[in-house]
Amino acid sequence: MDKNSIIEQWFLRYSDDIYKFLVYYTGNKDVEDLVQDVFLKALRSLETFESRSQPKTWLLTIARHTAIDFARKQRFRNWLPDKWLAGVQSEEKTPEEILHLHAEQQALYHALRQMKPAYREVLILRGIKGLSSRETAEILEWSESKVNVTLHRAMKAVKEQLMQERKGMVGDAI
């Protein structure tokens, strides 16, 4: 089977997972270009895939690195003299999108965005994507014990963040 056929099969099988991961990771629904970049990078480096891991795990690793690179580029663009142009692009959701999100999902999404990157990564991979500790460790290039400890701390931090937000809402309503 040639490289293009393998990547095409993987795209059909895993593109939805990669898309969802990137949406959670970046906090932006417009990640189609990043998904495409992931599969182009996979095609270019398919020879390096050693089949020790699952293709999905390898692709999620590439997706993580692609998202990190994208964020770095965005930060660099914000330093440019045309910084005000970056402010024009807003991640604000339309009223229709807000109506479709449940209040709990909104709170969880907001709390997730407040977490430091390591917590956010492990929460997305383990909690949302349902990957094993081993798969998550492979993607993040951590030990399994670090994944488990970080997940525990991240879940505690999210819980505290959600409690603070609820207290704020109750205080605002009074």
Side-chain angles (χ1 to χ4, degrees), residues 138-169:
E138 193 173 319
I139 290 168
L140 298 176
E141 299 171 354
W142 294 352
S143 68
E144 285 186 56
S145 61
K146 181 176 179 179
V147 167
N148 293 331
V149 168
T150 305
L151 177 63
H152 175 74
R153 291 177 180 164
M155 289 170 56
K156 185 177 177 182
V158 164
K159 184 178 178 181
E160 289 172 4
Q161 178 72 27
L162 290 171
M163 288 174 59
Q164 286 178 353
E165 288 181 20
R166 284 187 188 128
K167 286 179 184 175
M169 284 183 214

Side-chain angles (χ1 to χ4, degrees), residues 57-69:
T57 304
W58 186 63
L59 291 168
L60 284 168
T61 302
I62 294 171
R64 176 178 173 257
H65 289 288
T66 301
I68 290 169
D69 291 343

Side-chain angles (χ1 to χ4, degrees), residues 39-102:
F39 284 95
L40 287 172
K41 288 177 183 180
L43 179 63
R44 282 187 226 118
S45 59
L46 188 59
E47 304 84 37
T48 65
F49 179 66
E50 299 174 354
S51 299
R52 282 188 275 159
S53 64
Q54 295 294 318
K56 180 178 175 181
T57 304
W58 186 63
L59 291 168
L60 284 168
T61 302
I62 294 171
R64 176 178 173 257
H65 289 288
T66 301
I68 290 169
D69 291 343
F70 176 76
R72 284 186 190 132
K73 289 175 188 171
Q74 289 298 103
R75 270 182 273 174
F76 176 73
R77 286 184 188 130
N78 288 339
W79 284 100
L80 295 174
D82 296 330
K83 185 177 178 179
W84 62 273
L85 282 176
V88 173
Q89 298 173 342
S90 174
E91 289 186 21
E92 294 295 318
K93 296 187 179 347
T94 65
E96 294 83 21
E97 289 174 318
I98 292 170
L99 287 174
H100 289 109
L101 292 176
H102 297 351

